[in-house]
Structures are given as structure tokens and as C-alpha cells.
Amino acid sequence: MKSEKLNKLIEKYYAGETSLREEKKLKEALTPENEYEKALFDYTLEERHQTIPTVFDQKINVNSTKKIRSRKFWSLAAASILILLISINFLRLQNTRLPNNGLITLKMGLQSSLVSERLKTLDSMSEEEQKAASAQTLLLNTLVSDRNINVRLAALRALEKQASKELLKELVNSLIEQNSPMVQLALIDLIISNADKVDTSDLKDLLNSENVFMESKTRLNEAIAL
Amino acid sequence: MDKKDFNLKLLPYQAKMFRFARSLISPQEEAEDVVQDVYLKLWNNRQSLRKIQNLESYIMRAVKNTALNKLNKMGRIWEELEGSQDIQDFNTPETWTELNDTKKLIAMIVDRLPPRQRSIFRLREIEYYEIEAIAKLLELDPNNVKVNLSIARKKVKETFYKIVRHEV
């Protein structure tokens, strides 16, 4: 393309008047002199082919969505009972508590309808807050019932630093409630890295559960073999 | 429609949905949440999907509505965020480190365009949408789309040169 024609096309492009076909021609006709435009189109092409976040595939896993819908009632019932048991257990086992206002802030943050708020709340927790029994109950609750995978993973991260024997038992119990393979695997990794505090028979029970994903069972089998 | 059909039908649009949501709402987690919500809504209405002639525009409209509702809940309004970007906003350590990477710098400038211009710019340059399709999706007049597209294209270029020439 002659440079005069090219310049006219560029002018038309910046006026928002080019058709898609002309824009395609423009991209092909650019010379090294059009350094900026070349970089711009490289950027748009890169964006177009950019892979979406890893968690994304899991989040829109329709299979698990359907599973949730059809088992909704029983899942909810099981989750409620589990949360209740976890709460009672924790209040009994540990006496550390968060000051009331800290707990309320945490509770409100975790109940926010915005994912970013819930993530922010979890990320800003201090180690002391993570240790408190009342906070751990909330974190376990989030791990079991939050509908966003990133939030559930963040709750797990907040819990992992304080993995006591009692907490690990609750984590093992919560595994079958997870409808996301990714969270299940993260949970299993945590459990495996604290294998000395876990009862092997509990792990074997998981292998027989139909709510544990294939990938998770493979990982569990490897851990038990070791 | 079973889940396999549903997946086959909708999964090809997931990247497009995510990119569009990302241009309407930030941070990224909120955009992911928008797409997840839309998927659930579509799954719940899967029986009526067969009747839809232009599935892509239907899906993208759903993404737009869901994202704008979410913005509303966050106390932000898409239309009101119009207005020129203050060039001083780019005088940050983040910008300095991107100076050597032209593409990253452009990405940063596009991200900071006013929302409407950013959505129009991205729908055209990344999704290759016709002006009329953008107008229909964003419920704007086609001429308005052209004007905003022109402003956005010029603004990205001007800002780019201002930063490169250390005018900020």
C-alpha cells in the first residue's frame, strides 16, 4: 500500500470511520514507522488470545452446578449440621476468642455480597485473629458454604497456618461438602502435609465416598501409600 | 438440553464473556463472579436457549446487565464515570516500570479509560464487533459509538506518547 493511502487509512481509523475490513487491511499494511499502531495491534491480539484465569474453568463447571441444584436440599441440610457440629466442637475445645467487635467485623466482611470484600476481609486477617476459635468457626463455615471458589481457597489459606489436630479432623469432614475439585485438592494437600495429625482410617473412609472427586482420590491414594 | 449440550453450546463464549465483564467491572474477581452468575442464569433458563437466534448477543447482554447491576450494588454507576482521565494518574512507579514494555503500557492506558470508552474500544479492537452490534449491546446510538471510539483511540495514543516523552 502506498504511504499516502496508508496515512489516509490511519486518519480514517482515528476518526472511528474505518470498517472492520479496512482495519484488517491497515494492520497488514503497517510499516516499521508505525511503531505505536503496531504495538497497539499486538496488544489487542494478545488480549484476544489471553488465557482466562485458572479458577475460571472450575467456577463455571456446569456439571458441578447441576449437581448442586439437584442435591440442593440435602447439601444444605448436611452443611448446616456440619457447621453446627464444627461450632460446638470448637467452642468446647478452645477458649481463645476474638474481641467481640473484631468478630463482628469479620462476620460482616464474610457476609458481604461482593467477592472482593470477602477476599479483602480474609486477606487482612492477622495471625492472632486466625487463631481465635470463634474466627476459625467462621472460616470453616466460609470454606464449606461460600459459593465463590477464590473465597473458599482464601479461607483455607487462613486456616492452614493453625492446623491443629482438631481442626484437621474438621477439614477432613468438610472435604465431602466441596463441589469444586480445586478446593478438594487444596484441602487434600493441606491434610497430607499434616499427615502426622490425621487418622489414616478417616482418609480411607474418604476413598469410599462418592462425593470425593477422582483426582482427589488419586492424590489421597498416593498419600496413604507413602 | 443436557449438560453436555449446554457445555458445547456455551463454553466457546467463556473467554469473550470474561473479557467483556472485565471491561465493565473491576477488580478481576468481580468480573469472574459476573460470568459465573450469567452461566448459572443461562443454565437455569436452558430450555429457552433453543429459541434464541443470536446466542452471542444474548449472552453478552446478560453479562452487561449483570455487571451493571453489580456496579450499582457497589455504589458505582457506569454512565457517570464518563470524563477525561487525569494524566497525572499515570505518574506512578507502576507506570515507570512498564515504560520499557510498550504492550503493557498500552494495556494500562486502556484499562484507565472511562468505562464507556473502554468497553467500546475493547469490543471493537479485541472482539472485532461491528459498530451497530456495539450500539445495540450498549444501548447507544451508532454515531455515539463512533465518536467514543474515535476519542478512545486518540486518547490512548496521546497518553502513550505523553508518558513515553516523560511529559507526566
Side-chain angles (χ1 to χ4, degrees):
Chain A
M1 194 184 288
K2 278 185 185 158
S3 75
E4 197 185 329
K5 208 176 162 192
L6 178 64
N7 288 340
K8 273 213 165 123
L9 200 55
I10 292 177
E11 209 174 288
K12 205 175 164 188
Y13 167 81
Y14 282 106
E17 296 291 344
T18 36
S19 66
L20 283 174
R21 226 173 131 181
E22 285 171 318
E23 283 165 27
K24 194 170 174 257
K25 269 189 197 162
L26 172 65
K27 285 172 200 172
E28 286 161 3
L30 289 174
T31 65
E33 275 170 39
N34 312 108
E35 200 185 347
Y36 165 76
E37 283 77 15
K38 264 187 173 305
L40 173 72
F41 295 134
D42 277 352
Y43 149 75
T44 58
L45 207 64
E46 223 167 66
E47 281 283 297
R48 198 178 159 85
H49 297 293
Q50 183 199 39
T51 43
I52 41 187
T54 5
V55 203
F56 189 78
D57 285 332
Q58 307 282 349
K59 285 175 103 172
I60 53 165
N61 185 335
V62 180
N63 299 359
S64 62
T65 312
K66 194 187 176 188
K67 211 157 71 190
I68 301 165
R69 300 276 140 177
S70 58
R71 295 186 313 157
K72 201 173 171 189
F73 173 78
W74 291 110
S75 297
L76 272 177
S80 317
I81 294 168
L82 190 78
I83 291 161
L84 193 70
L85 287 175
I86 288 168
S87 316
I88 294 168
N89 230 348
F90 262 92
L91 290 175
R92 201 167 44 87
L93 286 165
Q94 292 181 32
N95 295 320
T96 41
R97 298 249 173 105
L98 267 187
N100 261 343
N101 50 355
L103 188 64
I104 291 168
T105 320
L106 180 64
K107 210 170 180 175
M108 279 172 65
L110 292 176
Q111 279 172 353
S112 164
S113 62
L114 298 175
V115 182
S116 54
E117 274 302 310
R118 305 207 293 278
L119 283 173
K120 210 166 89 188
T121 306
L122 290 169
D123 289 341
S124 61
M125 280 178 86
S126 68
E127 210 160 294
E128 201 184 4
E129 284 172 325
Q130 290 170 349
K131 260 187 214 161
S134 44
Q136 290 201 344
T137 310
L138 281 176
L139 289 172
L140 275 166
N141 188 350
T142 305
L143 176 68
V144 174
S145 58
D146 200 285
R147 69 189 181 95
N148 184 287
I149 290 179
N150 286 334
V151 177
R152 274 186 263 157
L153 288 172
L156 185 61
R157 272 199 305 277
L159 281 166
E160 71 187 0
K161 290 162 210 148
Q162 324 294 338
S164 65
K165 204 169 172 183
E166 293 77 25
L167 175 64
L168 277 158
K169 199 166 174 63
E170 303 303 343
L171 290 176
V172 171
N173 288 339
S174 75
L175 201 105
I176 51 165
E177 293 303 319
Q178 288 299 336
N179 54 46
S180 147
M182 186 168 248
V183 184
Q184 266 199 5
L185 284 175
L187 253 169
I188 286 173
D189 282 342
L190 173 63
I191 293 166
I192 290 173
S193 62
N194 289 283
D196 52 323
K197 299 177 196 158
V198 186
D199 203 340
T200 323
S201 66
D202 285 344
L203 295 184
K204 282 183 180 155
D205 285 346
L206 288 175
L207 288 174
N208 299 322
S209 166
E210 59 175 47
N211 291 329
V212 178
F213 291 98
M214 232 28 230
E215 305 94 300
S216 309
K217 284 186 180 169
T218 315
R219 189 83 62 97
L220 267 173
N221 260 326
E222 286 165 10
I224 293 172
L226 284 174
Chain B
M1 189 188 296
D2 67 7
K3 59 192 174 192
K4 201 175 154 198
D5 286 343
F6 183 74
N7 268 330
L8 275 176
K9 217 174 166 82
L10 292 181
L11 285 178
Y13 300 109
Q14 67 173 23
K16 215 180 257 274
M17 288 166 79
F18 175 72
R19 288 196 297 261
F20 183 41
R22 190 78 184 79
S23 79
L24 293 165
I25 197 166
S26 60
Q28 179 164 314
E29 290 81 18
E30 297 302 341
E32 286 173 24
D33 210 43
V34 165
V35 177
Q36 191 189 18
D37 279 355
V38 172
Y39 250 82
L40 282 178
K41 276 184 209 159
L42 292 172
W43 171 250
N44 291 336
N45 292 325
R46 61 191 178 281
Q47 298 311 336
S48 50
L49 286 185
R50 274 200 201 96
K51 295 174 214 149
I52 291 155
Q53 287 183 339
N54 188 340
L55 191 61
E56 182 171 334
S57 81
Y58 180 84
I59 292 172
M60 296 292 261
R61 261 205 315 277
V63 171
K64 188 199 92 182
N65 293 336
T66 311
L68 297 196
N69 276 342
K70 211 176 178 60
L71 275 178
N72 249 337
K73 274 191 201 155
M74 291 161 89
R76 284 149 51 188
I77 301 167
W78 190 64
E79 285 85 356
E80 275 186 7
L81 294 167
E82 213 68 34
S84 68
Q85 194 64 245
D86 188 353
I87 196 82
Q88 291 303 324
D89 287 357
F90 291 97
N91 195 0
T92 64
E94 195 192 353
T95 324
W96 307 330
T97 52
E98 303 301 4
L99 262 178
N100 295 325
D101 189 333
T102 319
K103 275 181 281 182
K104 272 193 184 159
L105 185 57
I106 293 175
M108 226 168 73
I109 301 169
V110 173
D111 276 348
R112 292 184 193 200
L113 281 172
R116 182 180 289 176
Q117 285 172 19
R118 183 178 60 220
S119 300
I120 294 174
F121 183 89
R122 290 185 59 105
L123 283 170
R124 178 64 169 195
E125 308 290 11
I126 298 164
E127 311 301 341
Y128 307 151
Y129 268 40
E130 294 284 359
I131 299 292
E132 285 70 24
I134 301 174
K136 210 172 158 194
L137 178 59
L138 300 180
E139 291 168 273
L140 296 169
D141 183 78
N143 282 324
N144 186 326
V145 172
K146 275 190 192 173
V147 170
N148 271 294
L149 180 62
S150 166
I151 294 173
R153 282 172 173 168
K154 286 177 190 160
K155 199 184 279 177
V156 174
K157 186 177 181 175
E158 274 165 26
T159 312
F160 175 82
Y161 278 113
K162 274 187 183 164
I163 292 171
V164 175
R165 289 176 190 147
H166 303 287
E167 286 172 21
V168 290

